[in-house]
Amino acid sequence: MWRRTRGAVLVLLALSAAEWGCASPGSGDDGSGPVSGADASVDSGGGDVAIGPSPDAVVPGIDASTGSGDAGGDEPVDPADADDDGAHPSKSCVGLMNGTPCGAAPDICHDAPVCEGGSCAAAAAKADGFVCAAAPDDCHTAGTCTAGVCGAPPTRADGYNWNSGDDTARCCGGNAINTDVDSDCGACGIQCNASNGESCQSFGGVWFCRGCVASDACWSHCCSESYSPYSCAASDCAGNCSAQYCPAGTHCVVGTDTSDYCSY
């Protein structure tokens, strides 16, 4: 009877020890209390088995959501970093000296914008007359800026000598020509009248419409008979030099060995 009672007591003691987490002999624990840091269970042989921390446990120093070490992973993002694409520096002028470039010039007639009072100021127009376009040819000048706008290359005035070694090399209507032809004889716009027998010819180093018959048919209304063949002259046909019919930009020159003529 005592043996049966003693055996029942031992069974109850074993079950109580297992319930309270006490290690059984051979587990490595001193049997003084629950196994620290682990949930204890009993394997089939009666030994304690550590199965690791509870799934709900949080290990100090480790961010379970990001692994960054910062709890929660909700650190705010600097807006400046979010906007910076890394391709170029910020155009903010905060903390920069006045005059510091803060952008690119919008066109050739404006300077690059610069910082003024902590802000990026509007691009300033370059001074009027700043060259912004090259001259396309000998009878045009370079284009320049006016009030921040690049103007078209201006046309040179009629009579401009585009080749200093040739007195007939003149600009007429923006075109580089030689004034030794019937349409421009001696000056821009002087036209020889073929129906009046005229053609553009050089006489005494001057180009005239020569071979005229009637004064009224000459561009100058004077067919001078001083030299043969007759020439349409810049004269009133009374011996006086007259620029009345000379092209703009010319003046009347009294010929010494020639009839009077128009010249630049």
Side-chain angles (χ1 to χ4, degrees), residues 91-103 112-124:
K91 292 184 180 180
S92 171
C93 285
V94 176
L96 297 181
M97 295 179 60
N98 287 348
T100 301
C102 55
V114 296
C115 295
E116 290 291 343
S119 299
C120 189

PDB file of all heavy atoms in Angstrom, residues 91-103 112-124:
ATOM      1  N   LYS A  91      18.983  75.749 -56.731  1.00  0.00           N
ATOM      2  CA  LYS A  91      19.038  77.123 -57.206  1.00  0.00           C
ATOM      3  C   LYS A  91      18.663  78.110 -56.099  1.00  0.00           C
ATOM      4  O   LYS A  91      18.507  79.293 -56.349  1.00  0.00           O
ATOM      5  CB  LYS A  91      18.115  77.302 -58.410  1.00  0.00           C
ATOM      6  CG  LYS A  91      18.578  76.553 -59.647  1.00  0.00           C
ATOM      7  CD  LYS A  91      17.685  76.838 -60.834  1.00  0.00           C
ATOM      8  CE  LYS A  91      18.159  76.094 -62.067  1.00  0.00           C
ATOM      9  NZ  LYS A  91      17.309  76.339 -63.235  1.00  0.00           N
ATOM     10  N   SER A  92      18.500  77.597 -54.901  1.00  0.00           N
ATOM     11  CA  SER A  92      18.170  78.467 -53.791  1.00  0.00           C
ATOM     12  C   SER A  92      19.310  79.432 -53.534  1.00  0.00           C
ATOM     13  O   SER A  92      20.484  79.085 -53.659  1.00  0.00           O
ATOM     14  CB  SER A  92      17.902  77.640 -52.538  1.00  0.00           C
ATOM     15  OG  SER A  92      17.780  78.476 -51.409  1.00  0.00           O
ATOM     16  N   CYS A  93      18.967  80.678 -53.220  1.00  0.00           N
ATOM     17  CA  CYS A  93      19.985  81.692 -52.944  1.00  0.00           C
ATOM     18  C   CYS A  93      20.152  81.938 -51.453  1.00  0.00           C
ATOM     19  O   CYS A  93      20.857  82.864 -51.061  1.00  0.00           O
ATOM     20  CB  CYS A  93      19.618  82.999 -53.647  1.00  0.00           C
ATOM     21  SG  CYS A  93      19.910  82.982 -55.432  1.00  0.00           S
ATOM     22  N   VAL A  94      19.500  81.122 -50.630  1.00  0.00           N
ATOM     23  CA  VAL A  94      19.597  81.296 -49.193  1.00  0.00           C
ATOM     24  C   VAL A  94      21.048  81.133 -48.753  1.00  0.00           C
ATOM     25  O   VAL A  94      21.689  80.126 -49.047  1.00  0.00           O
ATOM     26  CB  VAL A  94      18.691  80.284 -48.460  1.00  0.00           C
ATOM     27  CG1 VAL A  94      18.874  80.417 -46.945  1.00  0.00           C
ATOM     28  CG2 VAL A  94      17.244  80.508 -48.842  1.00  0.00           C
ATOM     29  N   GLY A  95      21.568  82.165 -48.083  1.00  0.00           N
ATOM     30  CA  GLY A  95      22.930  82.104 -47.574  1.00  0.00           C
ATOM     31  C   GLY A  95      24.001  82.433 -48.596  1.00  0.00           C
ATOM     32  O   GLY A  95      25.179  82.422 -48.261  1.00  0.00           O
ATOM     33  N   LEU A  96      23.613  82.727 -49.844  1.00  0.00           N
ATOM     34  CA  LEU A  96      24.604  83.037 -50.878  1.00  0.00           C
ATOM     35  C   LEU A  96      24.771  84.547 -51.034  1.00  0.00           C
ATOM     36  O   LEU A  96      23.835  85.321 -50.820  1.00  0.00           O
ATOM     37  CB  LEU A  96      24.181  82.436 -52.224  1.00  0.00           C
ATOM     38  CG  LEU A  96      24.080  80.912 -52.275  1.00  0.00           C
ATOM     39  CD1 LEU A  96      23.679  80.458 -53.670  1.00  0.00           C
ATOM     40  CD2 LEU A  96      25.395  80.269 -51.878  1.00  0.00           C
ATOM     41  N   MET A  97      25.954  84.968 -51.438  1.00  0.00           N
ATOM     42  CA  MET A  97      26.245  86.387 -51.617  1.00  0.00           C
ATOM     43  C   MET A  97      25.518  86.937 -52.838  1.00  0.00           C
ATOM     44  O   MET A  97      25.283  86.216 -53.815  1.00  0.00           O
ATOM     45  CB  MET A  97      27.757  86.592 -51.792  1.00  0.00           C
ATOM     46  CG  MET A  97      28.583  86.226 -50.582  1.00  0.00           C
ATOM     47  SD  MET A  97      30.355  86.468 -50.888  1.00  0.00           S
ATOM     48  CE  MET A  97      30.390  88.232 -51.259  1.00  0.00           C
ATOM     49  N   ASN A  98      25.170  88.202 -52.781  1.00  0.00           N
ATOM     50  CA  ASN A  98      24.584  88.872 -53.939  1.00  0.00           C
ATOM     51  C   ASN A  98      25.553  88.788 -55.107  1.00  0.00           C
ATOM     52  O   ASN A  98      26.761  88.960 -54.954  1.00  0.00           O
ATOM     53  CB  ASN A  98      24.288  90.331 -53.628  1.00  0.00           C
ATOM     54  CG  ASN A  98      23.105  90.506 -52.710  1.00  0.00           C
ATOM     55  OD1 ASN A  98      22.362  89.560 -52.472  1.00  0.00           O
ATOM     56  ND2 ASN A  98      22.921  91.697 -52.171  1.00  0.00           N
ATOM     57  N   GLY A  99      25.017  88.521 -56.289  1.00  0.00           N
ATOM     58  CA  GLY A  99      25.859  88.406 -57.472  1.00  0.00           C
ATOM     59  C   GLY A  99      26.249  86.987 -57.804  1.00  0.00           C
ATOM     60  O   GLY A  99      26.836  86.743 -58.865  1.00  0.00           O
ATOM     61  N   THR A 100      25.907  86.049 -56.937  1.00  0.00           N
ATOM     62  CA  THR A 100      26.216  84.647 -57.216  1.00  0.00           C
ATOM     63  C   THR A 100      25.274  84.121 -58.304  1.00  0.00           C
ATOM     64  O   THR A 100      24.059  84.256 -58.170  1.00  0.00           O
ATOM     65  CB  THR A 100      26.044  83.784 -55.957  1.00  0.00           C
ATOM     66  OG1 THR A 100      26.907  84.274 -54.931  1.00  0.00           O
ATOM     67  CG2 THR A 100      26.363  82.327 -56.245  1.00  0.00           C
ATOM     68  N   PRO A 101      25.793  83.559 -59.388  1.00  0.00           N
ATOM     69  CA  PRO A 101      24.909  83.023 -60.443  1.00  0.00           C
ATOM     70  C   PRO A 101      23.977  81.962 -59.882  1.00  0.00           C
ATOM     71  O   PRO A 101      24.384  81.139 -59.065  1.00  0.00           O
ATOM     72  CB  PRO A 101      25.895  82.423 -61.461  1.00  0.00           C
ATOM     73  CG  PRO A 101      27.166  83.182 -61.245  1.00  0.00           C
ATOM     74  CD  PRO A 101      27.216  83.436 -59.763  1.00  0.00           C
ATOM     75  N   CYS A 102      22.723  82.004 -60.312  1.00  0.00           N
ATOM     76  CA  CYS A 102      21.747  81.051 -59.800  1.00  0.00           C
ATOM     77  C   CYS A 102      20.938  80.399 -60.923  1.00  0.00           C
ATOM     78  O   CYS A 102      19.903  79.786 -60.673  1.00  0.00           O
ATOM     79  CB  CYS A 102      20.800  81.735 -58.809  1.00  0.00           C
ATOM     80  SG  CYS A 102      19.968  83.206 -59.458  1.00  0.00           S
ATOM     81  N   GLY A 103      21.395  80.536 -62.154  1.00  0.00           N
ATOM     82  CA  GLY A 103      20.691  79.931 -63.278  1.00  0.00           C
ATOM     83  C   GLY A 103      21.408  80.247 -64.573  1.00  0.00           C
ATOM     84  O   GLY A 103      22.425  80.942 -64.595  1.00  0.00           O
ATOM     85  N   ALA A 112      23.085  85.882 -67.167  1.00  0.00           N
ATOM     86  CA  ALA A 112      22.587  84.822 -66.292  1.00  0.00           C
ATOM     87  C   ALA A 112      22.007  85.467 -65.040  1.00  0.00           C
ATOM     88  O   ALA A 112      22.520  86.472 -64.547  1.00  0.00           O
ATOM     89  CB  ALA A 112      23.721  83.874 -65.924  1.00  0.00           C
ATOM     90  N   PRO A 113      20.922  84.931 -64.507  1.00  0.00           N
ATOM     91  CA  PRO A 113      20.350  85.487 -63.279  1.00  0.00           C
ATOM     92  C   PRO A 113      21.309  85.305 -62.117  1.00  0.00           C
ATOM     93  O   PRO A 113      22.080  84.348 -62.071  1.00  0.00           O
ATOM     94  CB  PRO A 113      19.063  84.679 -63.094  1.00  0.00           C
ATOM     95  CG  PRO A 113      19.320  83.399 -63.818  1.00  0.00           C
ATOM     96  CD  PRO A 113      20.182  83.757 -64.989  1.00  0.00           C
ATOM     97  N   VAL A 114      21.252  86.242 -61.167  1.00  0.00           N
ATOM     98  CA  VAL A 114      22.128  86.182 -60.005  1.00  0.00           C
ATOM     99  C   VAL A 114      21.303  86.379 -58.737  1.00  0.00           C
ATOM    100  O   VAL A 114      20.164  86.842 -58.764  1.00  0.00           O
ATOM    101  CB  VAL A 114      23.232  87.256 -60.072  1.00  0.00           C
ATOM    102  CG1 VAL A 114      24.155  87.000 -61.254  1.00  0.00           C
ATOM    103  CG2 VAL A 114      22.621  88.653 -60.159  1.00  0.00           C
ATOM    104  N   CYS A 115      21.906  86.003 -57.623  1.00  0.00           N
ATOM    105  CA  CYS A 115      21.238  86.137 -56.332  1.00  0.00           C
ATOM    106  C   CYS A 115      21.202  87.594 -55.894  1.00  0.00           C
ATOM    107  O   CYS A 115      22.198  88.315 -56.019  1.00  0.00           O
ATOM    108  CB  CYS A 115      21.973  85.309 -55.273  1.00  0.00           C
ATOM    109  SG  CYS A 115      21.942  83.527 -55.563  1.00  0.00           S
ATOM    110  N   GLU A 116      20.051  88.000 -55.391  1.00  0.00           N
ATOM    111  CA  GLU A 116      19.872  89.348 -54.842  1.00  0.00           C
ATOM    112  C   GLU A 116      18.998  89.236 -53.599  1.00  0.00           C
ATOM    113  O   GLU A 116      17.839  88.837 -53.694  1.00  0.00           O
ATOM    114  CB  GLU A 116      19.213  90.278 -55.865  1.00  0.00           C
ATOM    115  CG  GLU A 116      20.100  90.650 -57.052  1.00  0.00           C
ATOM    116  CD  GLU A 116      21.270  91.548 -56.670  1.00  0.00           C
ATOM    117  OE1 GLU A 116      21.210  92.143 -55.567  1.00  0.00           O
ATOM    118  OE2 GLU A 116      22.230  91.638 -57.441  1.00  0.00           O
ATOM    119  N   GLY A 117      19.564  89.553 -52.454  1.00  0.00           N
ATOM    120  CA  GLY A 117      18.787  89.538 -51.229  1.00  0.00           C
ATOM    121  C   GLY A 117      18.214  88.184 -50.866  1.00  0.00           C
ATOM    122  O   GLY A 117      17.112  88.108 -50.337  1.00  0.00           O
ATOM    123  N   GLY A 118      18.921  87.123 -51.186  1.00  0.00           N
ATOM    124  CA  GLY A 118      18.466  85.784 -50.840  1.00  0.00           C
ATOM    125  C   GLY A 118      17.542  85.141 -51.847  1.00  0.00           C
ATOM    126  O   GLY A 118      17.080  84.026 -51.644  1.00  0.00           O
ATOM    127  N   SER A 119      17.259  85.842 -52.938  1.00  0.00           N
ATOM    128  CA  SER A 119      16.397  85.293 -53.993  1.00  0.00           C
ATOM    129  C   SER A 119      17.110  85.349 -55.334  1.00  0.00           C
ATOM    130  O   SER A 119      17.995  86.178 -55.552  1.00  0.00           O
ATOM    131  CB  SER A 119      15.084  86.080 -54.090  1.00  0.00           C
ATOM    132  OG  SER A 119      14.357  86.001 -52.880  1.00  0.00           O
ATOM    133  N   CYS A 120      16.689  84.461 -56.236  1.00  0.00           N
ATOM    134  CA  CYS A 120      17.267  84.448 -57.583  1.00  0.00           C
ATOM    135  C   CYS A 120      16.515  85.486 -58.411  1.00  0.00           C
ATOM    136  O   CYS A 120      15.337  85.323 -58.741  1.00  0.00           O
ATOM    137  CB  CYS A 120      17.130  83.061 -58.205  1.00  0.00           C
ATOM    138  SG  CYS A 120      18.048  82.865 -59.757  1.00  0.00           S
ATOM    139  N   ALA A 121      17.192  86.577 -58.734  1.00  0.00           N
ATOM    140  CA  ALA A 121      16.561  87.688 -59.455  1.00  0.00           C
ATOM    141  C   ALA A 121      16.359  87.344 -60.922  1.00  0.00           C
ATOM    142  O   ALA A 121      16.994  86.435 -61.471  1.00  0.00           O
ATOM    143  CB  ALA A 121      17.416  88.942 -59.325  1.00  0.00           C
ATOM    144  N   ALA A 122      15.473  88.083 -61.571  1.00  0.00           N
ATOM    145  CA  ALA A 122      15.236  87.895 -63.007  1.00  0.00           C
ATOM    146  C   ALA A 122      16.495  88.250 -63.788  1.00  0.00           C
ATOM    147  O   ALA A 122      17.274  89.122 -63.393  1.00  0.00           O
ATOM    148  CB  ALA A 122      14.069  88.760 -63.456  1.00  0.00           C
ATOM    149  N   ALA A 123      16.699  87.567 -64.909  1.00  0.00           N
ATOM    150  CA  ALA A 123      17.872  87.820 -65.751  1.00  0.00           C
ATOM    151  C   ALA A 123      17.821  89.252 -66.289  1.00  0.00           C
ATOM    152  O   ALA A 123      16.792  89.699 -66.805  1.00  0.00           O
ATOM    153  CB  ALA A 123      17.916  86.825 -66.897  1.00  0.00           C
ATOM    154  N   ALA A 124      18.930  89.960 -66.174  1.00  0.00           N
ATOM    155  CA  ALA A 124      19.000  91.346 -66.647  1.00  0.00           C
ATOM    156  C   ALA A 124      19.337  91.396 -68.130  1.00  0.00           C
ATOM    157  O   ALA A 124      20.129  90.586 -68.627  1.00  0.00           O
ATOM    158  CB  ALA A 124      20.048  92.109 -65.844  1.00  0.00           C
TER     159      ALA A 124
END
